[in-house]
Amino acid sequence: MNIPANLKYTKDHEWVAIEGNVATIGITDFAQKELGDIVYVEVETVDQTLDREEVFGTVEAVKTVSDLFLPLTGEIIEFNEGLETEPELVNTDPYGAGWMIKVQFTNESELADLLSAEAYKELIGA
């Protein structure tokens, strides 16, 4: 199970990479394995400001559709357009080319609620 130590995580199985006040967000290796083959990623919230834990999109696998929850309050400033034609990047490279959105977050105190790699490992029993 790949759980990079330099990222933060959520209980909803999303990872967060912080650069200044911009967070890059995707789903974890654990999540993509649980979902199976990803066939579609839908994000129609670009340029919208959402609160933490609001649904920002969905990920569709062969057998299920799952909501994607925003880990930090802020404006969604970018969607990974590569996922429109290659949604399987979420399966093959969840922490790289399979990233989903970038958010300009507005409440830095919410960062304290994100999980460390160690805490996420405990959550999933890895």
Side-chain angles (χ1 to χ4, degrees):
M1 187 73 49
N2 186 9
I3 303 172
N6 63 319
L7 301 175
K8 296 292 186 185
Y9 299 88
T10 71
K11 292 180 177 99
D12 296 314
H13 308 290
E14 290 152 348
W15 59 264
V16 181
I18 306 295
E19 283 185 48
N21 66 341
V22 174
T24 302
I25 298 162
I27 65 169
T28 65
D29 191 33
F30 174 83
Q32 68 82 17
K33 285 179 178 163
E34 290 290 305
L35 288 167
D37 292 337
I38 307 293
V39 295
Y40 189 67
V41 178
E42 181 176 48
V43 174
E44 294 184 353
T45 51
V46 175
D47 297 328
Q48 293 181 28
T49 298
L50 301 176
D51 289 331
R52 174 174 65 171
E53 297 182 5
E54 277 194 82
V55 173
F56 71 83
T58 57
V59 60
E60 184 177 336
V62 174
K63 296 180 182 176
T64 188
V65 176
S66 291
D67 287 336
L68 298 165
F69 298 96
L70 197 62
L72 299 166
T73 299
E75 180 184 354
I76 298 173
I77 57 173
E78 189 176 347
F79 169 63
N80 181 356
E81 293 180 1
L83 299 180
E84 290 179 354
T85 56
E86 294 183 86
E88 65 274 10
L89 289 171
V90 175
N91 293 117
T92 59
D93 192 9
Y95 301 112
W99 66 273
M100 295 183 173
I101 62 167
K102 292 190 180 191
V103 175
Q104 189 162 3
F105 60 93
T106 54
N107 187 348
E108 202 167 303
S109 67
E110 292 175 350
L111 295 173
D113 296 329
L114 298 175
L115 303 175
S116 67
E118 287 304 313
Y120 184 70
K121 284 178 188 176
E122 283 181 35
L123 176 75
I124 63 172

